[in-house]
Every structure is written in C-alpha cells, then in structure tokens.
Amino acid sequence: MTHVAIIVNMALVPYVENSLPALSKLQNSSAQFRFANHDLRLAQDWKKLGVAAVVWDAAIVMCMYLEMGKVDLNGTLAIELGAGTGLVGIVAALLGAKVTITDREPALDFLSANVKANLPTDYQRSVVVSELTWGKGLERYPSSGFDLVLGADIVYLEDTFVPLLQTLEHLCSDTTVVLLACKIRYERDTNFLSMLKLRFKVEEVYYEKQRDIYVYKACKLPHRRDL
Ligand SMILES: C[S@@+](CC[C@H](N)C(=O)[O-])C[C@H]1O[C@@H](n2cnc3c(N)ncnc32)[C@H](O)[C@@H]1O
C-alpha cells in the first residue's frame, strides 16, 4: 500500500492509494459515462496534469442537470470555463449547443484530445477549444456574447475569485444564464457566492445529495454593486 500526499484543490489531503474510492477514481486512466444517449470515455492523467485532467463530481452533476432539459440548449451559444477534461462542454454540444470549451493553456492539448475522441464528426463543428485564463485577454471573447456560461468545480481558488467574476461579467449580457456546479469544500468558497450576488441574481436550482454538489443559476443584475 502506498502512502502519499496529494493536493486536492489546494488542500493537502493525506491519501492512501486505492483506499478512498472518491479519490482513487481520480487515478484511473479514464472515466466512462453515458449522457445524451452517447457513451463517453474521458481520458484522465492526474499524475501529469493534476486537477485539469480528471473528471470532478461537479462535472457529472452539471451533465445530469443539463440532461433534465431545464435549460434550452438547442442552438444556444455556450462557453465553458475551466473545462478540464471537457465533459460538460461535450455533453452540452451533444444536447445541441454551440460550445466554446476553455481552460488554461497547459490543459488544452489534453482537453482537445478528449473533445475529439468523444464527439461524433457531425458534432465537431459545434465546438471550439480555446485558451481562457480568467481575467486575462478577455477582449478575445465577445463582450455579452454568450447565451449560456457553464462552469463545474471552478470555485476553489481564492486568488481567482475576482478575475473569475470579471470574466463572467465580460461574457454575460442581461439575458445570459450562468450555471455553476459547485462543491462547497471550505467557507471561502461561499465568499465567491457572496461576491457573485453583488453583480448577479443567484439561485440554487439543483442539489445532488450523493455527491454533495450544488448547481447555481445566475443572471446579471441591471445595476452593479461594489465588491
Ligand atoms: C477542479 S478542476 C474542474 C475541471 C472540470 N470543470 C470538471 O469539473 O471536471 C478546475 C479547472 O479550472 C481550471 N482553472 C483553474 N484556475 C484557472 C484560471 N485562473 N483560469 C482558467 N481556468 C482555471 C483548471 O485548469 C481546471 O481545469
């Protein structure tokens, strides 16, 4: 049995290999799902690429929520932030959205390979994979240019809260819907929700008990309040 220490979302978690199913599944070289009537197999590489190369529970719950059909995806212009393996963007595309799937530069090759491997040819035209580091180079993305912004497990690094909020404000028009699937691990995670509520109307639209994941829906407020 190997005893190691891994950093899970910036919290150092003591980890005995294969003893905690919730963590050991991150070590698998792939994760399989069936969403939108398609069998999906996402490659994972925790050891090489860390958090961006494994499928987090929040992504699974977001896909479950998208499948419920409460948000219209057909022909919707969507963007996914912090996409990691790209599961959410892939499922959104399979459900009819045109999706810009984004993450930081080091994650992009792995992300692109997963998107390519999991989308049938006729859906490939519906997606673009591109670099978006929150708060940086936002002018490369159309201001108020998306109907839907998706993010799964992207609220976990306090240093990114302000740039993440700036990014949401840049991408959203008054009618854009933001969906965030969140694991609330620490009190600081709720600080982001408090900041978000200064600029967006936020409501909890789903809670998945088994995985302890909340889905929040946010829409831009007409008047900005100071952070
Ligand atoms: C916990 S992972 C979630 C990945 C995926 N959404 C999922 O749920 O499986 C967080 C993701 O946010 C991305 N990320 C972290 N900081 C970022 C930043 N400043 N700008 C853009 N993406 C960032 C990471 O690269 C990673 O893919």
Side-chain angles (χ1 to χ4, degrees):
M1 201 180 271
T2 318
H3 291 258
V4 292
I6 59 171
I7 296 172
V8 175
N9 287 354
M10 299 308 284
L12 197 59
V13 178
Y15 172 49
V16 181
E17 214 165 279
N18 302 326
S19 69
L20 291 170
L23 293 178
S24 65
K25 71 181 184 184
L26 302 179
Q27 301 260 336
N28 295 340
S29 60
S30 66
Q32 292 181 57
F33 306 96
R34 185 166 175 85
F35 284 115
N37 292 323
H38 287 76
D39 290 316
L40 306 172
R41 188 192 190 92
L42 282 297
Q44 302 195 127
D45 195 343
W46 168 266
K47 283 193 178 143
K48 213 162 134 197
L49 291 165
V51 292
V54 292
V55 179
W56 294 89
D57 281 347
I60 300 168
V61 173
M62 178 72 95
C63 293
M64 291 163 64
Y65 183 75
L66 294 180
E67 266 203 326
M68 288 175 197
K70 294 186 177 172
V71 177
D72 187 20
L73 289 165
N74 215 8
T76 294
L77 275 186
I79 183 164
E80 185 186 4
L81 306 178
T85 61
L87 176 65
V88 169
I90 290 165
V91 170
L94 290 172
L95 292 170
K98 294 189 189 324
V99 196
T100 302
I101 305 179
T102 72
D103 207 306
R104 294 179 307 158
E105 199 279 328
L108 291 188
D109 285 349
F110 199 74
L111 172 58
S112 298
N114 263 324
V115 170
K116 198 160 180 228
N118 283 283
L119 275 182
T121 323
D122 41 334
Y123 287 90
Q124 303 270 352
R125 265 177 281 124
S126 306
V127 297
V128 176
V129 174
S130 73
E131 198 248 328
L132 199 171
T133 299
W134 306 327
K136 300 210 169 124
L138 293 179
E139 65 285 351
R140 291 185 291 112
Y141 292 87
S143 167
S144 307
F146 295 91
D147 306 313
L148 179 66
V149 180
L150 299 166
D153 211 344
I154 60 170
V155 177
Y156 66 109
L157 295 171
E158 208 158 21
D159 286 354
T160 66
F161 287 177
V162 169
L164 178 56
L165 187 56
Q166 280 170 352
T167 305
L168 293 176
E169 289 195 275
H170 174 81
L171 299 171
C172 292
S173 70
D174 293 348
T175 57
T176 304
V177 169
V178 179
L179 289 178
L180 296 175
C182 299
K183 181 101 178 171
I184 306 295
R185 297 182 179 87
Y186 305 103
E187 205 180 322
R188 62 164 191 250
D189 300 344
T190 61
N191 293 344
F192 178 78
L193 293 173
S194 303
M195 285 166 60
L196 185 66
K197 284 175 186 164
L198 295 172
R199 302 283 165 85
F200 287 77
K201 177 174 176 284
V202 181
E203 53 181 318
E204 183 191 313
V205 288
Y206 186 54
Y207 174 64
E208 209 270 342
K209 198 172 168 197
Q210 194 192 331
R211 296 176 178 84
D212 188 25
I213 301 288
Y214 295 85
V215 179
Y216 299 100
K217 178 179 170 183
C219 296
K220 220 175 192 177
L221 289 168
H223 303 291
R224 290 161 56 100
R225 279 180 277 166
D226 288 339
L227 291 178

